Amino acid sequence: MLMITTAATLSLLLSAAIMILTTLISKKMNEDREKSSPFECGFDPKSSARLPFSSRFFLIAVIFMIFDVEIAMLLPMPITMTTSNIKSWMLISTIFLLILIIGLYHEWNQGSLEWSN
């Protein structure tokens, strides 16, 4: 037990010493205005690069990801039909598709699928 404790302490001290040593001898980075600004073909940027993006794009991306995952879950359904009980497969598939249709109706009802707002 003493040997394990000694080895753990030694490895902890050695890694801490290496981290401190590399911090001390590393190059110091000076904050330069040109280096910290966003790159725009060598010219000064005309406006801030940190503008907030439209939440509409984020919402469309999330909906796309949800439908993408749904398709990935729907693709193996016909293959699993041959290896499982047909009644349980039909029940599970119907419930899954019903949940997807209810989710789509909810998104449509909330106006998430309308881009022109």
Side-chain angles (χ1 to χ4, degrees):
M1 184 69 178
L2 181 64
M3 192 169 173
I4 294 172
T5 307
T6 306
T9 305
L10 184 62
S11 65
L12 184 66
L13 288 175
L14 184 62
S15 61
I18 290 173
M19 285 192 299
I20 291 170
L21 184 65
T22 56
T23 303
L24 292 176
I25 64 173
S26 68
K27 276 180 135 179
K28 298 293 179 191
M29 299 284 290
N30 292 332
E31 285 297 320
D32 186 17
R33 181 180 156 307
E34 292 298 323
K35 287 185 179 179
S36 63
S37 68
F39 180 72
E40 194 171 315
C41 299
F43 300 105
D44 288 332
K46 297 197 184 284
S47 64
S48 175
R50 301 288 181 209
L51 294 175
F53 62 94
S54 173
S55 61
R56 209 59 155 151
F57 291 117
F58 178 73
L59 185 63
I60 294 297
V62 168
I63 290 172
F64 172 75
M65 289 301 296
I66 290 170
F67 284 127
D68 195 36
V69 170
E70 290 170 358
I71 289 172
M73 294 175 80
L74 283 173
L75 284 176
M77 276 185 152
I79 298 169
T80 59
M81 182 179 67
T82 60
T83 60
S84 63
N85 185 5
I86 192 69
K87 288 182 183 179
S88 65
W89 180 86
M90 187 66 84
L91 179 68
I92 291 170
S93 299
T94 305
I95 291 172
F96 182 70
L97 288 173
L98 188 65
I99 290 170
L100 295 182
I101 290 170
I102 290 171
L104 179 63
Y105 175 73
H106 178 71
E107 289 172 357
W108 185 25
N109 195 22
Q110 294 294 318
S112 299
L113 300 176
E114 294 177 12
W115 184 256
S116 62
N117 284 348

